[in-house]
Amino acid sequence: LRRILVIGLLACLALPVADARAALPNLVSDPASSPFTGVYPFGPGDDRLLLRFNSYVHNDGPGLLHIRATGDGAAMTDVFQVIDGTPTSIGAQVVYEDGSLTNEDGHNHWHLQRAARYSLWDDAAEVAPAQKVGFCLLDSLRVTSGAPKTAPQNCGAQGSTQINMGVSAGWRDLYTSSLAFQWVDVSDVQPGTYVLRSEVDPDDIVDETDESNGFA
């Protein structure tokens, strides 16, 4: 009788480990909010009509999103997704956003590049594409009641040799319309009714429980 009970207990304890994917995040794009249009100067004689909005990266999976990057202080040369404490190299870039001409948002921390993509669509086709944008991924808003913060919240500073960023399960990161690149250029779009599409992880860099549901 004792042996049966012990075997049963061991089997029960082993069951969660058998499903390795239970530790993965699932990144979805919650619908963009508070859209508005405005005219903004992009250079001498080049004013552009921009559709600006708030966007969200929501982790509704069972596991946290943890991105780690290491480098020499000037560049991050290795980027990993950490799953259950184990880092796996991924094909991503993490760059320092410093307010220079090539990094215009002036956030002064490191961003995971190509974390999201925005575009405008009519019923059949894309009518206004936008560039893929990078973010410092953090827990901004709790979505699931009682969900704890488990993801690292350190996007570093200039000279950092390692950063750890991420979004906890049940949380989402907010990118407000006031930030640089939170827009679609609609200068050449005809008046009409369109759908604003937001995609997270558009290049499928992050390992997730579901790779097909990252847009809204």
Side-chain angles (χ1 to χ4, degrees), residues 21-181:
R21 300 194 69 80
L24 294 178
N26 186 43
L27 303 183
V28 298
S29 178
D30 291 343
S33 65
S34 304
F36 67 93
T37 56
V39 176
Y40 297 85
F42 270 58
D46 184 21
D47 291 340
R48 309 299 293 176
L49 179 64
L50 302 182
L51 172 63
R52 308 192 69 136
F53 46 87
N54 303 325
S55 70
Y56 308 89
V57 174
H58 174 191
N59 180 7
D60 77 345
L64 64 88
L65 171 67
H66 179 179
I67 300 296
R68 175 180 296 165
T70 59
D72 60 6
M76 293 294 173
T77 53
D78 298 289
V79 183
F80 308 90
Q81 180 181 356
V82 182
I83 303 172
D84 284 343
T86 301
T88 300
S89 181
I90 57 175
Q93 286 186 311
V94 171
V95 301
Y96 186 72
E97 303 286 353
D98 60 5
S100 70
L101 292 177
T102 55
N103 294 309
E104 296 176 355
D105 69 4
H107 288 180
N108 299 315
H109 56 221
W110 298 83
H111 281 194
L112 175 68
Q113 294 298 89
R114 305 167 73 88
R117 179 182 182 273
Y118 310 127
S119 53
L120 200 69
W121 291 69
D122 62 14
D123 290 336
E126 184 178 83
V127 296
Q131 64 186 355
K132 295 175 183 178
V133 294
F135 298 130
C136 164
L137 294 162
L138 298 171
D139 292 337
S140 299
L141 303 167
R142 182 183 279 113
V143 180
T144 302
S145 178
K149 280 191 175 186
T150 58
Q153 309 283 292
N154 175 22
C155 291
Q158 193 167 26
S160 295
T161 57
Q162 178 172 294
I163 61 97
N164 289 275
M165 67 174 76
V167 182
S168 303
W171 286 74
R172 66 181 181 179
D173 202 358
L174 163 66
Y175 309 98
T176 65
S177 59
S178 62
L179 296 176
F181 309 119

Side-chain angles (χ1 to χ4, degrees), residues 1 9 26 80 95 111 120 135 141 187 193 199 201 205-206:
L1 179 59
L9 178 59
N26 186 43
F80 308 90
V95 301
H111 281 194
L120 200 69
F135 298 130
L141 303 167
S187 302
T193 301
E199 303 170 78
D201 190 28
I205 292 170
V206 175

